[in-house]
Amino acid sequence: RVDKPGESLSVAELRNALDALLSAVTSEEPAAEEEEDDSEVKPENLGDMSLQDAITYMWKLDEPNRVNWGDSGFTLNMQNKGRYGTDRCEDVLFDWVNLEHPFWSAPVTKAFISLLDNYERETGKAERVTAEEKAEMAGFLDALCASKVIKFVLEFLKVKGADPRCSSLRSML
């Protein structure tokens, strides 16, 4: 199995590796739907928040969805730096990734991973978008719009009155 960077890594092998990762991630039982607490996406001080406050709030709100460096998330194998578009590293970048982390079973992550094979790697090649790819893109946008962070953004925009179209974020996409 070739999964190291370089000329010997083919597109087919990369696709197989991504398929294996996707299978490992999607084979887990989905997390039970939690009762949504409206106070997280619509906090009491929403009207008083500055843009900086809102960004800080989003960062905290999204904390459970982050894979952090270290024992609970991943470790990197830092090597040589690439130059002029050439990867000079002999080993893979990630020493270890915790595939049991809840991040990998989150709807947004699953939907994003399904998008990774939808694009032509080579520039200048025409892309043909299939019905399945369109469904994957719509699924990603739906998962994203169902996230607490995006729901908060929508509430923040409604309160600040930035755009009258903010009544339904998904319809704008």
Side-chain angles (χ1 to χ4, degrees), residues 33-52:
E33 291 287 324
E34 295 178 13
E35 275 297 308
E36 181 146 352
D37 182 7
D38 194 37
S39 66
E40 284 188 298
V41 296
K42 205 171 184 180
E44 289 181 25
N45 66 336
L46 184 62
D48 298 328
M49 283 185 172
S50 67
L51 181 57
Q52 180 63 48

Side-chain angles (χ1 to χ4, degrees), residues 34 40 58-68 101-104 106 148-149:
E34 295 178 13
E40 284 188 298
M58 286 187 294
W59 179 253
K60 289 178 184 173
L61 191 60
D62 200 41
E63 189 170 5
N65 301 317
R66 270 185 248 141
V67 180
N68 294 312
H101 191 283
F103 167 82
W104 297 106
K148 289 181 181 181
V149 172

Side-chain angles (χ1 to χ4, degrees), residues 31-127:
E33 291 287 324
E34 295 178 13
E35 275 297 308
E36 181 146 352
D37 182 7
D38 194 37
S39 66
E40 284 188 298
V41 296
K42 205 171 184 180
E44 289 181 25
N45 66 336
L46 184 62
D48 298 328
M49 283 185 172
S50 67
L51 181 57
Q52 180 63 48
D53 294 336
I55 291 168
T56 301
Y57 187 80
M58 286 187 294
W59 179 253
K60 289 178 184 173
L61 191 60
D62 200 41
E63 189 170 5
N65 301 317
R66 270 185 248 141
V67 180
N68 294 312
W69 169 281
D71 294 338
S72 66
F74 66 92
T75 56
L76 295 177
N77 180 8
M78 303 303 283
Q79 303 165 64
N80 295 326
K81 294 181 180 178
R83 284 192 168 208
Y84 309 109
T86 302
D87 183 355
R88 298 179 181 193
C89 300
E90 294 180 15
D91 296 318
V92 294
L93 174 61
F94 291 93
D95 274 331
W96 174 79
V97 176
N98 178 5
L99 294 177
E100 301 298 319
H101 191 283
F103 167 82
W104 297 106
S105 61
V108 173
T109 304
K110 286 180 167 182
F112 177 76
I113 289 172
S114 73
L115 295 175
L116 294 177
D117 65 349
N118 290 6
Y119 305 98
E120 287 294 333
R121 185 174 170 180
E122 303 296 323
T123 57
K125 257 190 170 176
E127 291 191 34

Side-chain angles (χ1 to χ4, degrees), residues 1-18 121:
R1 178 176 128 181
V2 177
D3 57 1
K4 294 186 178 184
E7 294 177 13
S8 60
L9 179 61
S10 71
V11 172
E13 290 166 330
L14 180 59
R15 178 165 287 155
N16 289 339
L18 285 172
R121 185 174 170 180

